[in-house]
Amino acid sequence: MAVDKNLFLYDLAVVAIMKNEAPYVKEWLDYHLAAGVNHFYIYDNESPDNLKEILQPYIDAGTVTYKFFPGKAMQYVAYNKAIQDYKFFCRYIAFIDADEFIFPQNDKSIVEVVDEILADRKNAGGLAANIFYFGSNNLEKADYTRGVLERFTRRAPVDWIPLLTEKKLPGGTAHVSTITNPRKVHHFGNPHFAFYFEGFNAVNSNGEKVQLFFNNPPLTDKIVMNHYSVKSKEEYFAKIERGTADNKRNIYNLERFARDDHNEIFDNSILKYYAARPKISAENNATKIKRVYNALLKNLSPTFANDAPKKIFEGQMETFLTCRRLAAYLHEKSFNETAGKFFEEISLEAICGTLKTTVTVADLRLLISELPKILPLNYPAAEKILQFCIRMLPKLMENFKTPVAADWQKFTELNYLLEMLKIFDSMKKI
């Protein structure tokens, strides 16, 4: 059951971790705003350049949430933290790099295309879109007076699908980047691909299941990711110096430059799309708050009506958890403290109502991931949710007996349990 889109602060947000991207970030932001992105969560991985200075006008406008995020190989950490912190604020979240541009292959916005692909696919957790790799245009020197989209207009052909030698898996255009329903994401263990709760999976633009970080044969007729990973040779040397955000080992070198520097196909269609996009005014905060307030009232009113049918709770865990978090947001922003508390209490009661019906494993995992925020709340329903989750812990622990593909999945599960233990201890529940 789809969540009412009016409950979310943003239809589409982008999460990215960046280092030394100041020369490129304004074009990247402006393009994606034109393509329909509403908000950006940017994790600054110790950039020594003036990245934050370039971002400041967007931060001041409420378009960018900026996080200073130091450390080595922090991409997975940033992605998984973003899921945890923002999954109930955004209907969709795209996880891309600062050299990737999401490109609908028509005049529509990104959200319109994603909605069309995911419509009526109830098991779809996100979209895996194939990547076009753009080369250097045979440029040796950097020219920062012109944008990336203007300078690099030559790419690899669709059938450039080299095998990744270390894994014998298809790369190149077969690679994908991800736009998620973040409430279905279990964890990120690959920078281009999310792993989802049981019963959900990534799909390609035809709605077919995608199991890993590639979709072969590639689909490029509805939406692609333009990836400007090479740029000029001078810029690639700077990339070698910078290293990679997802691995402590630097994977960039001249051998990789030669492999990825493909210029066979002339393609400037993204420039035409960008120029044709209408200017979109951002929703002001007052309008956004009013919309969310009305959506909370609409979605929660049946739960406190005297004649509310019992089946109203079935399949609505995601909705009620979203309502709970948005009610807390209203309270935090001092919009209306009384209304915020009322909506939060009703949301928690509604969550308890879902626990009396059939709870899927995905619902349980989504609830468990929110417990650090729910359990300290001073509402009777929080105690009921706590007792239910304690009873369900043995079922969750069964996961550790089953081999899993990614260490990050084990880490995420363990992190949920550790967070619960900390809360139990602070509340003297054990």
Side-chain angles (χ1 to χ4, degrees):
M1 183 179 296
V3 180
D4 181 355
K5 67 179 183 179
N6 287 307
L7 280 171
F8 298 104
L9 298 179
Y10 311 111
D11 238 8
L12 173 63
V14 165
V15 167
I17 186 167
M18 297 184 180
K19 187 167 187 172
N20 298 3
E21 298 289 354
Y24 313 109
V25 70
K26 186 179 189 305
E27 178 187 29
W28 182 84
L29 288 167
D30 289 344
Y31 167 82
H32 282 105
L33 286 170
V37 174
N38 310 121
H39 197 77
F40 303 84
Y41 298 100
I42 295 181
Y43 294 79
D44 179 356
N45 190 212
E46 302 181 271
S47 298
D49 61 11
N50 62 331
L51 176 64
K52 190 176 182 185
E53 180 183 334
I54 302 297
L55 293 175
Q56 195 62 53
Y58 299 89
I59 297 170
D60 295 341
T63 304
V64 166
T65 297
Y66 171 88
K67 303 283 186 180
F68 184 70
F69 213 66
K72 298 289 185 182
M74 296 297 287
Q75 188 164 22
Y76 300 150
V77 182
Y79 282 11
N80 286 305
K81 182 165 178 53
I83 287 289
Q84 190 64 14
D85 290 347
Y86 305 121
K87 61 178 173 280
F88 294 111
F89 290 165
C90 315
R91 191 156 71 96
Y92 297 123
I93 300 181
F95 292 81
I96 61 174
D97 295 331
D99 58 4
E100 291 182 301
F101 290 70
I102 309 171
F103 180 25
Q105 298 293 283
N106 49 42
D107 60 353
K108 297 179 181 178
S109 72
I110 298 167
V111 168
E112 288 175 314
V113 176
V114 174
D115 276 343
E116 288 174 2
I117 294 169
L118 300 188
D120 302 322
R121 293 184 171 89
K122 63 180 182 179
N123 295 325
L127 171 65
N130 283 100
I131 294 176
F132 274 150
Y133 279 83
F134 281 72
S136 69
N137 270 48
N138 299 311
L139 297 175
E140 294 282 333
K141 296 293 185 180
D143 177 7
Y144 297 116
T145 66
R146 297 190 298 150
V148 167
L149 302 183
E150 180 185 351
R151 287 190 290 145
F152 305 107
T153 56
R154 307 197 72 87
R155 61 168 173 82
V158 174
D159 60 359
W160 178 62
I161 308 174
L163 288 180
L164 302 177
T165 55
E166 65 274 20
K167 296 179 180 178
K168 303 299 182 185
L169 297 173
T173 310
H175 266 162
V176 297
S177 280
T178 296
I179 303 172
T180 67
N181 171 348
R183 293 159 304 285
K184 305 304 183 187
V185 174
H186 185 291
H187 71 286
F188 269 87
N190 180 283
H192 291 281
F193 190 78
F195 295 88
Y196 298 88
F197 291 136
E198 288 86 341
F200 296 92
N201 50 262
V203 299
N204 62 25
S205 59
N206 281 347
E208 301 158 335
K209 186 175 181 178
V210 177
Q211 295 184 336
L212 280 173
F213 55 86
F214 55 87
N215 177 62
N216 194 27
L219 296 173
T220 61
D221 60 322
K222 297 175 184 174
I223 189 168
V224 296
M225 301 284 181
N226 278 14
H227 193 189
Y228 301 87
S229 60
V230 172
K231 302 187 179 77
S232 68
K233 186 170 283 188
E234 180 182 355
E235 288 161 283
Y236 197 86
F237 279 132
K239 189 171 186 173
I240 293 173
E241 289 293 319
R242 183 178 72 234
T244 181
D246 67 314
N247 198 316
K248 291 182 180 179
R249 177 176 60 88
N250 193 343
I251 62 173
Y252 301 127
N253 50 53
L254 288 179
E255 181 180 348
R256 184 169 180 140
F257 175 85
R259 186 197 76 181
D260 293 348
D261 185 22
H262 281 264
N263 300 282
E264 295 93 323
I265 306 297
F266 176 78
D267 183 355
N268 70 345
S269 51
I270 194 170
L271 285 171
K272 299 173 184 177
Y273 170 81
Y274 187 14
R277 287 295 298 165
K279 298 295 182 184
I280 302 172
S281 298
E283 185 179 27
N284 67 55
N285 197 55
T287 303
K288 185 189 307 175
I289 292 293
K290 184 176 181 180
R291 172 175 56 78
V292 170
Y293 177 90
N294 289 334
L296 284 168
L297 191 62
K298 174 186 174 183
N299 283 273
L300 291 174
S301 58
T303 69
F304 55 81
N306 292 330
D307 57 349
K310 292 183 178 180
K311 287 190 177 181
I312 195 70
F313 302 113
E314 292 184 6
Q316 289 193 292
M317 177 71 79
E318 184 183 352
T319 288
F320 293 140
L321 283 169
T322 301
C323 287
R324 206 288 312 170
R325 189 63 190 91
L326 269 297
Y329 175 83
L330 294 184
H331 185 187
E332 291 162 8
K333 295 299 179 183
S334 301
F335 164 69
N336 186 320
E337 185 172 349
T338 301
K341 287 182 176 180
F342 173 74
F343 283 137
E344 183 163 51
E345 184 170 15
I346 294 299
S347 300
L348 290 169
E349 290 290 350
I351 291 166
C352 288
T354 68
L355 303 180
K356 298 174 184 177
T357 64
T358 301
V359 180
T360 66
V361 175
D363 281 345
L364 176 60
R365 293 200 192 284
L366 187 62
L367 177 59
I368 291 288
S369 72
E370 276 298 283
L371 287 182
K373 296 182 178 70
I374 289 176
L375 295 187
L377 298 174
N378 188 27
Y379 299 111
E383 176 69 24
K384 297 176 188 176
I385 292 170
L386 168 63
Q387 296 303 323
F388 173 83
C389 290
I390 289 174
R391 293 195 302 272
M392 294 301 294
L393 274 177
K395 182 176 181 180
L396 194 66
M397 290 297 292
E398 286 294 316
N399 183 69
F400 289 100
K401 299 179 182 178
T402 305
V404 293
D407 289 339
W408 267 98
Q409 181 173 347
K410 297 177 184 177
F411 173 83
T412 307
E413 293 292 346
L414 183 61
N415 192 54
Y416 291 163
L417 298 178
L418 289 175
E419 287 294 328
M420 286 182 66
L421 289 173
K422 290 177 186 176
I423 293 165
F424 293 164
D425 186 54
S426 67
M427 298 170 67
K428 303 189 184 303
K429 296 292 183 184
I430 59 172

